[in-house]
Amino acid sequence: MRLLLSALAVLVFVAGCSNNDGPTERIDAVDLDRVLDAFEAALKSPDPTPAAPASVAEAAPASEAAPESQGEAAAVVDNDNGQAPSGAEPAAAVPAEDPDRTKAFLARFGTELNSKRLDGDNQVGVYVRNDGAIEGFRDLNKNGTKDAGEGQLFWLEVDSERSRVVVSQMIGGEAYHRPYRTSGLATGLIGGYILGRMLGRQNSFYSSPGRARPRFGSMNMSPRGYHSGAMSKARASASARSKGGSRGFRGGK
């Protein structure tokens, strides 16, 4: 019996020591470069109801996403020649909401995202928020609707002033942003419709008093390939917090 009690005491002590660093903080985040690749593919899909092109326009390849902007008046720079693209096309009328077209685009975008297995074995769901942003979330029950406990993975907004969209996420409490240049979307693609609808909802939402429109020009844009460094930084920070919290485990007086 004495030997048994001694063995139990050792096990309890070892278990206590193994928890000195506290629980490990899990860091999960999708790669925004791959989100933009999926978004581009969805933008360029055939439109089930072709219409005239709408406001924010022709999608350039994701590899030509705009670099970091400098201030509110910054121009979008073409990565190939370092020059700002020629003058933006005048904004056309924002298309009327068509639930079937919106649903078709979101289904295609979701299919593109999940074909890339962005969130491991989890399914990614997407929906258009009231402010016009498209939000991606971890669709744990795979019902296509964001339910309680299904965390945000990214959100994508139109920056019409700079003819681009900006996709954002939080990793370890820090915001990361990636740009995608747009200008003059061709007729027959669903992208013109969805970008126009995103902008229409955005303008309507932020026209209400007390709602501050996002300051896209002051956002620090991350370069392509940012994801690995961002994850390493977040994990190092989580590890430091965990070790710092363990300092109190030294026994009482």
Side-chain angles (χ1 to χ4, degrees):
M1 179 61 72
R2 182 174 298 176
L3 289 175
L4 178 59
L5 290 175
S6 297
L8 288 173
V10 170
L11 288 174
V12 170
F13 176 78
V14 171
C17 290
S18 66
N19 290 325
N20 278 359
D21 288 342
T24 301
E25 182 178 341
R26 182 173 177 175
I27 304 293
D28 287 319
V30 298
D31 186 340
L32 295 183
D33 289 334
R34 298 174 71 193
V35 171
L36 288 178
D37 290 341
F39 186 65
E40 177 185 69
L43 284 177
K44 293 184 175 181
S45 62
D47 191 340
T49 312
S55 49
V56 248
E58 180 177 6
S63 60
E64 297 181 7
E68 176 181 341
S69 58
Q70 302 293 331
E72 284 294 333
V76 178
V77 177
D78 186 300
N79 288 348
D80 290 337
N81 56 26
Q83 300 296 317
S86 57
E89 298 182 359
V94 173
E97 184 75 53
D98 183 334
D100 289 337
R101 293 173 81 188
T102 301
K103 183 177 180 180
F105 174 81
L106 293 176
R108 178 62 188 272
F109 188 21
T111 296
E112 293 290 343
L113 289 167
N114 288 306
S115 70
K116 299 178 183 300
R117 296 179 63 83
L118 292 185
D119 194 32
D121 293 331
N122 297 310
Q123 181 166 302
V124 178
V126 289
Y127 72 100
V128 183
R129 301 189 318 208
N130 290 336
D131 64 357
I134 294 180
E135 180 171 323
F137 61 95
R138 180 169 289 132
D139 192 6
L140 297 175
N141 59 10
K142 301 181 180 181
N143 69 349
T145 301
K146 186 176 181 182
D147 300 311
E150 296 184 332
Q152 180 190 80
L153 296 172
F154 65 85
W155 66 99
L156 195 152
E157 303 167 284
V158 172
D159 177 9
S160 60
E161 184 179 349
R162 294 165 188 79
S163 299
R164 66 181 182 177
V165 295
V166 175
V167 62
S168 307
Q169 68 183 165
M170 298 296 296
I171 303 180
E174 183 171 345
Y176 290 86
H177 311 281
R178 289 281 295 126
Y180 174 91
R181 183 171 60 81
T182 62
S183 66
L185 188 63
T187 301
L189 300 179
I190 199 170
Y193 164 75
I194 198 66
L195 290 170
R197 283 310 313 151
M198 290 171 67
L199 180 60
R201 286 197 185 197
Q202 181 188 96
N203 288 336
S204 176
F205 183 85
Y206 289 110
S207 66
S208 298
R211 292 175 176 171
R213 189 182 293 269
R215 296 176 61 85
F216 296 108
S218 62
M219 291 179 180
N220 183 27
M221 299 294 155
S222 298
R224 190 169 182 86
Y226 79 99
H227 188 256
S228 177
M231 294 297 289
S232 295
K233 180 179 178 181
R235 286 168 178 152
S237 179
S239 177
R241 288 194 299 271
S242 176
K243 291 178 180 178
S246 69
R247 293 171 184 168
F249 184 87
R250 295 189 180 276
K253 291 184 179 179

